[in-house]
Amino acid sequence: MNNRKIGVLASGFGSNLQAIMDAIAQKGLPIEIAVVICDKGDAYALERAKNAGISHVAIVRKECLDKNDFENKIDTVLRAADVELVVLAGFMRILSSGFVSKWKHKNINIHPALLPAFTGLDAQGQALEYGVKVAGCTVHFVDEGMDTGPIILQKAVPVLDDDTHDTLAGRILVQEHLALPEAIELWASDKIEVHGRKVYITK
Ligand code: GRF
């Protein structure tokens, strides 16, 4: 069976990208990271891809004419690589409704909170400040909103009384590194069904 091809978009350190790479290797998943695209030329995620011999490219927003040009360049690279699923793995930009609609139900994101709580930036800090007792992460399909698409899976962690931003973010990140590969494996096995807002995992 041919490997299912994914394209990973990242902006920084790329630990979620690394988790996907590791899961594919360790579990022998029939998945290929066809390309890694970063919006920053110095994103360590590019180094990770290079070290793994994975095709990679920086598409830097400020070097593009406008947002439309930026997203068209990304879309062109994804399609040239025959990508079937776009994975936002620590990708810090909001994609336009035009791009999102082209990849409807073929674009997933990892967010470090139990959505719909704490959308947007520094979700971990928002959770800590709010005083929640349970935090976690969410893998969801990307829709026109910010962190509002149908939820594929979530993983929860306790918030401890002496947690700092870093200790909580670190505990959530461990679960992110499990959740994102798990969701991608479910997708590759055609076990994800979407009905409106609801996602069902079929056996
Ligand atoms: C992660 O918490 C991710 O959820 C958020 O950015 C953090 C770093 O991700 N979007 P990575 O190490 O670049 O994958």
Side-chain angles (χ1 to χ4, degrees), residues 11-17 89-92 110-112 124 173 176-177:
S11 296
F13 188 55
S15 70
N16 277 288
L17 166 65
F91 186 67
M92 306 306 276
I110 178 81
H111 183 74
Q124 306 94 329
L173 194 59
E176 292 178 50
H177 294 163

Side-chain angles (χ1 to χ4, degrees), residues 34-198:
V35 65
V36 172
I37 301 172
C38 293
D39 60 317
K40 294 189 174 70
D42 61 353
Y44 189 64
L46 291 169
E47 193 69 23
R48 295 180 191 272
K50 182 182 169 194
N51 294 339
I54 294 172
S55 174
H56 55 284
V57 61
I59 298 177
V60 180
R61 170 68 183 81
K62 67 176 183 288
E63 293 170 4
C64 298
L65 296 173
D66 53 24
K67 182 167 182 171
N68 190 51
D69 179 44
F70 170 68
E71 292 186 349
N72 284 342
K73 284 182 165 69
I74 291 174
D75 190 65
T76 300
V77 167
L78 291 168
R79 294 182 191 283
D82 295 324
V83 163
E84 301 167 68
L85 180 74
V86 180
V87 179
L88 308 185
F91 186 67
M92 306 306 276
R93 292 194 178 271
I94 302 296
L95 294 162
S96 70
S97 56
F99 183 96
V100 167
S101 60
K102 284 181 195 171
W103 293 93
K104 185 176 171 72
H105 296 162
K106 293 187 276 189
N107 183 0
I108 65 175
N109 179 49
I110 178 81
H111 183 74
L114 294 176
L115 294 173
F118 312 129
T119 58
L121 294 176
D122 193 19
Q124 306 94 329
Q126 291 182 59
L128 195 61
E129 287 313 304
Y130 194 92
V132 295
K133 300 304 178 183
V134 178
C137 60
T138 302
V139 183
H140 63 95
F141 283 109
V142 175
D143 69 2
E144 284 70 12
M146 178 171 61
D147 303 322
T148 55
I151 291 171
I152 299 168
L153 61 89
Q154 296 182 296
K155 291 192 182 288
V157 299
V159 180
L160 308 180
D161 291 348
D162 60 351
D163 262 328
T164 64
H165 185 286
D166 287 353
T167 58
L168 179 57
R171 191 174 308 122
I172 294 170
L173 194 59
V174 169
Q175 297 305 314
E176 292 178 50
H177 294 163
L178 298 173
L180 191 52
E182 184 179 332
I184 294 167
E185 187 176 0
L186 288 169
W187 165 81
S189 310
D190 295 317
K191 290 185 176 178
I192 296 177
E193 282 185 21
V194 192
H195 299 276
R197 269 217 61 84
K198 299 293 285 295

